[in-house]
Amino acid sequence: MKRQETRNPNIVLVGFMGTGKTSIGRRLSTQLRMRYVDTDDVIERDSGRRISDIFAEDGEPTFRELESEAVRKVSNLYNYVISTGGGVVLKEENMVALKRNGIIFCLTATAEEIYRRVQHQSHRPLLQTPDPLMKISSMLEERHPYYAKADYMVETTGRSFGEVMAYIKRVFTKSIRDPK
Ligand code: S3P
């Protein structure tokens, strides 16, 4: 008889662009032997288009609808590390769906640190502006109340991947052992 897989909750990573969701998410999934999915990849795969093209051709509201569709899909999974796009927190329905089977960790970093990490990347449509640092600061302020809805906030500035991962693993393992 096939052994039934234990239905552990997902580790969900939210947070602003450049806070390390993808790098940390991939490493965590390997270490914890969990599967990995990124909502931005789901959107690109399902639509056959790049995120920057969706923004440029159809605008942000269309992107947000596709994002919610991707969230609905990944929220049905178990035993996954799920990385999300930086704006996933903006819709209440996304957070409700992700929380159903998941523990949500919000990765944070200072505006200066985020700028340092993303300044040479050109694939982020929201940062294609003359003053990206200013844009990052104002978006962080605007989004703060949404990010604060995560179960745990994890500061990454000045911390190695190993340190951030150790914290997430500790909290996750404990919450599986003693569910609230
Ligand atoms: C966005 C962040 C991006 C991507 C899209 C919008 C945002 O994801 O979903 O460009 O609104 O912050 P990353 O956070 O993975 O860069």
Side-chain angles (χ1 to χ4, degrees):
M1 204 168 68
K2 199 164 170 252
R3 203 153 57 92
Q4 192 91 49
E5 189 181 36
T6 316
R7 285 191 154 196
N8 283 332
N10 302 313
I11 294 181
V12 182
L13 301 180
V14 304
F16 201 76
M17 294 171 251
T19 51
K21 291 165 291 179
T22 307
S23 310
I24 289 179
R26 283 188 187 286
R27 286 171 171 80
L28 268 178
S29 76
T30 309
Q31 280 198 6
L32 293 170
R33 296 171 193 263
M34 293 167 76
R35 279 163 288 192
Y36 176 79
V37 69
D38 182 320
T39 54
D40 281 347
D41 294 341
V42 173
I43 297 167
E44 292 196 334
R45 199 185 53 224
D46 287 359
S47 66
R49 302 163 74 197
R50 300 185 70 89
I51 299 227
S52 48
D53 293 336
I54 301 172
F55 263 83
E57 291 158 16
D58 297 343
E60 186 169 343
T62 300
F63 170 76
R64 296 293 170 208
E65 277 168 34
L66 297 175
E67 185 170 56
S68 291
E69 223 169 276
V71 165
R72 280 195 290 277
K73 273 191 193 164
V74 302
S75 296
N76 290 320
L77 302 167
Y78 287 89
N79 307 334
Y80 267 75
V81 176
I82 302 174
S83 288
T84 59
V88 87
V89 294
L90 299 173
K91 280 200 191 170
E92 170 84 14
E93 66 177 85
N94 293 345
M95 293 299 269
V96 169
L98 290 165
K99 265 191 192 185
R100 227 177 23 235
N101 301 336
I103 300 172
I104 307 192
F105 293 88
C106 178
L107 303 186
T108 64
T110 62
E112 291 72 21
E113 175 64 13
I114 291 171
Y115 177 61
R116 195 183 64 74
R117 293 178 190 172
V118 304
Q119 61 183 325
H120 301 301
Q121 302 173 347
S122 57
H123 65 279
R124 304 188 193 257
L126 293 172
L127 299 181
Q128 305 313 305
T129 91
D131 190 346
L133 176 56
M134 176 84 110
K135 181 81 186 276
I136 291 167
S137 301
S138 68
M139 284 177 79
L140 277 180
E141 201 175 314
E142 211 176 281
R143 288 184 177 181
H144 178 74
Y146 298 95
Y147 288 132
K149 291 184 182 155
D151 297 307
Y152 299 93
M153 303 296 271
V154 191
E155 178 58 47
T156 66
T157 308
R159 301 217 166 107
S160 65
F161 284 150
E163 287 169 317
V164 174
M165 284 161 54
Y167 173 77
I168 295 175
K169 279 195 295 191
R170 204 168 52 241
V171 173
F172 181 66
T173 317
K174 186 169 180 303
S175 61
I176 289 181
R177 240 185 293 124
D178 341 298
K180 279 186 204 143

